[in-house]
């Protein structure tokens, strides 16, 4: 995804070679899953190896690339990745700027690949606080990939679920039809990249919380929390999480058919 000539990337690749998995055989799962991932642990992955935190974010970007490529083959049609939380502005400016540069690089380099692979890219979150160059790259990538049908990739950048719900609520009073469905439509407008119910939420890095991510959409999602840090998360881990999802009984508050019968 990023130029191999960069010394930092070369060092990172040497350290992560042992963690790379080959792409496994596609799973027989229901098509159309919406999987959301809180890709946590990049910085800790790097510091545990004596590397700068920026190296962890680059390693995480490589992990994201593998997951995006594999997702359609295992039945995922919508994939939402938490790239930058609105709360992350509290971090050192150097780290936030490194993440923003990384996102800009991704959009510039990977847009053509998304077009070839039938990936539609959308960005959810605020755009007024990010650099103008990144903002324009988002607009260009969204327009160029709009025809993608195999996978809808949503990147959450400067995103806060509470803030999105608040802004949707501010608009909602103008809607003539008051219903949960119409509120979801308003929320989709606020998010730009749409609002669809999440089937499976995965969080890496050992933490077990939502961290202001897709609160409305995750109302009935299944959660899988993993201690593995995001740069070490591979296609086999994604497969395993989807298999776990398939084993769970999703009643959405109703009784299972076997009991209700």
């Amino acid at each position: 995804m990023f130029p191999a000539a960069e010394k930092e990337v070369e060092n990172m690749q040497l350290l992560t070679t042992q963690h790379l998995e080959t792409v496994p055989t596609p799973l027989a799962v229901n098509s159309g899953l919406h999987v959301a991932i809180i890709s946590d642990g990049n910085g800790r992955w790097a510091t545990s190896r004596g590397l700068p935190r920026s190296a962890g974010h680059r390693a995480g970007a490589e992990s994201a690339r593998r997951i995006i490529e594999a997702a359609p083959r295992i039945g995922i049609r919508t994939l939402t990745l938490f790239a930058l939380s609105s709360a992350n502005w509290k971090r050192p400016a150097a780290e936030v700027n490194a993440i923003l540069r990384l996102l800009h690089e991704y959009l510039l380099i990977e847009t053509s690949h998304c077009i070839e692979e039938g990936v539609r890219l959308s960005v959810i979150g605020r755009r007024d606080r990010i650099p103008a160059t990144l903002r324009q790259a988002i607009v260009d990538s969204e327009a160029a990939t709009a025809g993608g049908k195999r996978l809808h990739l949503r990147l959450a950048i400067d995103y806060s679920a509470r803030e999105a719900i608040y802004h949707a609520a501010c608009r909602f009073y103008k809607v003539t039809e008051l219903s949960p469905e119409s509120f979801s439509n308003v929320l989709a407008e606020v998010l730009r990249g749409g609002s669809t119910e999440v089937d499976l939420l995965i969080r890496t890095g050992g933490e077990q919380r939502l961290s202001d991510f897709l609160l409305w959409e995750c109302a009935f999602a299944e959660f899988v929390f993993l201690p593995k840090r995001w740069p070490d998360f591979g296609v086999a881990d994604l497969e395993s999480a989807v298999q776990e999802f398939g084993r769970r009984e999703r009643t959405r508050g109703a009784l299972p058919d076997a009991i209700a019968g």
Side-chain angles (χ1 to χ4, degrees):
M1 167 178 174
F2 301 98
E6 294 185 20
K7 187 173 181 61
E8 183 182 25
V9 179
E10 289 177 344
N11 293 337
M12 178 273 292
Q13 288 174 334
L14 289 173
L15 287 166
T16 57
T17 298
Q18 61 182 319
H19 300 293
L20 300 180
E21 295 92 354
T22 56
V23 177
T25 304
L27 292 173
V29 297
N30 294 327
S31 62
L33 290 180
H34 181 183
V35 175
I37 303 179
I38 301 175
S39 47
D40 196 15
N42 292 331
R44 284 173 288 152
W45 179 93
T47 55
S48 69
R49 289 162 172 76
L51 297 170
R53 290 177 64 87
S54 60
H57 294 303
R58 285 192 176 274
E62 287 293 338
S63 181
R65 186 173 188 269
R66 296 194 298 273
I67 296 306
I68 292 164
E69 288 180 349
R73 295 195 293 272
I74 58 177
I76 298 170
R77 293 298 173 83
T78 302
L79 177 66
T80 304
L81 300 179
F82 207 176
L84 181 70
S85 165
S86 294
N88 289 154
W89 291 106
K90 300 173 185 177
R91 294 186 179 186
E95 180 175 352
V96 175
N97 289 334
I99 294 172
L100 293 171
R101 285 195 300 271
L102 196 59
L103 291 167
H104 192 194
E105 287 181 31
Y106 175 85
L107 294 174
L108 293 178
I109 295 171
E110 289 296 312
T111 295
S112 59
H113 183 66
C114 287
I115 295 170
E116 293 170 2
E117 295 298 316
V119 176
R120 173 191 167 201
L121 188 145
S122 300
V123 171
I124 62 175
R126 291 181 61 169
R127 302 191 185 188
D128 58 306
R129 296 189 291 193
I130 61 176
T133 51
L134 175 56
R135 193 158 55 242
Q136 187 59 52
I138 290 170
V139 172
D140 294 342
S141 294
E142 288 179 328
T145 64
K149 302 296 183 184
R150 290 185 69 232
L151 176 71
H152 185 190
L153 171 63
R154 305 195 315 159
L155 299 179
I157 299 175
D158 194 1
Y159 173 82
S160 160
R162 283 183 171 182
E163 189 171 275
I165 292 170
Y166 168 75
H167 286 296
C170 290
R171 293 188 187 186
F172 190 53
Y173 76 95
K174 299 180 181 178
V175 177
T176 55
E177 179 194 348
L178 301 181
S179 68
E181 292 74 23
S182 60
F183 183 81
S184 291
N185 292 335
V186 174
L187 183 59
E189 294 173 5
V190 168
L191 291 175
R192 297 174 186 255
S195 174
T196 58
E197 192 167 296
V198 173
D199 297 298
L200 170 64
L201 177 116
I202 302 168
R203 178 165 187 156
T204 60
E207 304 295 345
Q208 299 186 25
R209 55 179 178 268
L210 279 176
S211 296
D212 199 15
F213 186 50
L214 302 178
L215 301 179
W216 179 270
E217 296 91 333
C218 283
F220 289 99
E222 296 293 326
F223 293 175
V224 171
F225 298 111
L226 299 172
K228 184 174 290 190
R229 292 165 183 170
W230 178 242
D232 292 333
F233 184 90
V235 175
D237 298 304
L238 179 64
E239 276 197 310
S240 179
V242 171
Q243 288 173 339
E244 170 62 22
F245 170 82
R247 288 190 292 267
R248 295 186 184 179
E249 187 172 49
R250 305 184 75 205
T251 64
R252 299 174 65 91
L255 291 176
D257 293 339
I259 299 175

